[in-house]
Amino acid sequence: HVQLVESGGASVQTGGSLRLSCAFSGNTRNTHCMAWFRQAPGKEREGVAFVDGTGNTAVADSVKGRFTISKDDAKYTLYLQMNNLEPEDTATYYCAAAISDLPVDVVATLGHWSFSYWGPGTQVTVS
């Protein structure tokens, strides 16, 4: 069982940067894939960044070149670095995990229903 808690959400101006963190419990190396999802009011929850059990990463086309995902297994923390933020990035951001040995190019195609473990979310507002 993996527990997840996000932090780092804030209100920022267009063009600003934020780094979200997700503290997780348990050893997820080689056993879990992890991801950042976001959900804006009235919209579907969408995946924005993914990492597989071996540490390979991928980001959605909508954030490519602006968002970077990284994972520090020694610190049990998943990060999402967000640069050049736009109002369209306003959403609640969630950290998620799933037991999986799939490579990241497949993980990146998984819908939110494939992830078993979720944090409570952190709000990002860009204006």
Side-chain angles (χ1 to χ4, degrees), residues 50 104-111 113:
F50 311 86
V104 72
D105 57 338
V106 178
V107 171
T109 67
L110 299 177
W113 52 86

Side-chain angles (χ1 to χ4, degrees), residues 12-65:
V12 297
Q13 293 188 333
T14 299
S17 297
L18 280 176
R19 188 175 79 158
L20 305 183
S21 299
C22 171
F24 59 86
S25 64
N27 184 0
T28 62
R29 187 180 299 171
N30 295 321
T31 59
H32 291 70
C33 61
M34 299 188 73
W36 287 99
F37 283 78
R38 67 184 181 186
Q39 188 167 20
K43 293 190 175 181
E44 291 278 326
R45 189 170 296 193
E46 63 168 343
V48 294
F50 311 86
V51 57
D52 67 19
T54 61
N56 296 309
T57 63
V59 295
D61 287 343
S62 59
V63 302
K64 194 164 291 184

Side-chain angles (χ1 to χ4, degrees), residues 70-102:
S70 61
K71 183 167 174 261
D72 189 333
D73 287 311
K75 295 184 178 180
Y76 295 90
T77 305
L78 183 73
Y79 300 101
L80 184 67
Q81 178 66 44
M82 305 186 294
N83 298 327
N84 195 21
L85 283 161
E86 304 168 350
E88 293 73 23
D89 298 316
T90 295
T92 301
Y93 284 71
Y94 298 91
C95 176
I99 298 173
S100 173
D101 60 358
L102 294 171

